[in-house]
Amino acid sequence: MRYLIASDIHGSLPAAEALIARFHKEDADRILLLGDLLYHGPRNPLPEGYAPADVAKLLNEHADRIIAVRGNCDAEVDQMVLDFPCLGDYAVVVDEGVTLFLTHGHLDVRRAVVGLPAGSFVFSGHTHVKGIGNPFAPASLRDDAPTHITFANPGSIGHPKDGSASYALYEHGIVELRNL
C-alpha cells in the first residue's frame, strides 16, 4: 500500500485542502495522521485559514481511508466531530510484514517501541520539523533510540517550523519527505 503521512494540521483549512489534493495526486491508499488535527494550541498563533469545523468536515469525507492518533492539542471533543478514531496514543500498521508505529511524539513511548521488530518505522510529528533518522525520534527516545528502527517525522502542514509545509510518503519499505 501507499501511505501519505502528515501531522500538525492545527485546524488550517488551506493546509488540509492541500493535503487532500496531494493525497489524490499521489494516488495514496491511506492517510496516516499523527495528531494535532483541529486545535491550534495555546502556544501557537492561529494558522492561516483557521477553520477546525471545516477541517473536520473535509477529513470526514475520507474517514474510511484515515488512521489517526492523538496529539497534545487533540481532545475528546474532537472525536465528537470526527468520523474516524483519533484518540489513541499510538497505532500500529503492518504493511507487507513491516511494522509502522504511529505516534504524535509528545508521550514517552520507549516501552512500546523497544519491542518493535527490526526494520520497523516509527512516525511521529509534534516538533513541526521534518526529517529521517535518530535525531527525529520522539524526545523520549532520542538519547537511546533503537538502531533497528527507522524514525521519520513528516514535519507540519499547518505550522511548519522549518519554513516548508511537508508530509511523508511510505511504500514498500521506503519513506520520502515531500513539500506540500
Side-chain angles (χ1 to χ4, degrees):
M1 292 189 95
R2 186 172 175 90
Y3 299 95
L4 187 145
I5 305 154
S7 189
D8 298 281
I9 299 169
H10 287 290
S12 171
L13 183 58
E17 289 170 337
L19 177 72
I20 295 301
R22 196 56 62 98
F23 171 67
H24 293 295
K25 183 177 180 181
E26 296 283 8
D27 197 28
D29 298 296
R30 297 271 188 272
I31 302 171
L32 308 180
L33 296 175
L34 305 178
D36 286 359
L37 306 178
L38 303 179
Y39 181 53
H40 70 287
R43 296 178 302 170
N44 298 316
L46 284 175
E48 176 188 345
Y50 184 66
D54 293 330
V55 170
K57 182 179 177 186
L58 179 62
L59 293 177
N60 284 341
E61 292 172 8
H62 298 83
D64 62 332
R65 298 173 81 186
I66 292 176
I67 298 171
V69 296
R70 176 181 69 91
N72 59 302
C73 293
D74 297 321
E76 289 178 19
V77 69
D78 298 337
Q79 188 64 77
M80 297 169 75
V81 298
L82 292 170
D83 295 338
F84 52 88
C86 69
L87 293 178
D89 292 333
Y90 60 85
V92 174
V93 174
V94 178
D95 183 69
E96 298 176 339
V98 177
T99 300
L100 311 179
F101 183 92
L102 315 175
T103 186
H104 182 62
H106 67 295
L107 299 174
D108 186 344
V109 292
R110 282 179 284 196
R111 292 189 67 187
V113 168
V114 81
L116 293 175
S120 295
F121 289 81
V122 172
F123 291 96
S124 64
H126 187 56
T127 65
H128 299 215
V129 178
K130 64 184 164 296
I132 299 173
N134 282 4
F136 300 97
S140 64
L141 290 166
R142 261 183 229 130
D143 293 335
D144 55 348
T147 57
H148 66 283
I149 295 169
T150 299
F151 295 93
N153 186 323
S156 170
I157 65 167
H159 270 305
K161 288 186 178 174
D162 60 0
S164 62
S166 57
Y167 62 97
L169 279 178
Y170 173 88
E171 186 174 30
H172 304 302
I174 298 171
V175 176
E176 294 179 39
L177 299 176
R178 299 197 176 169
N179 290 333
L180 189 56

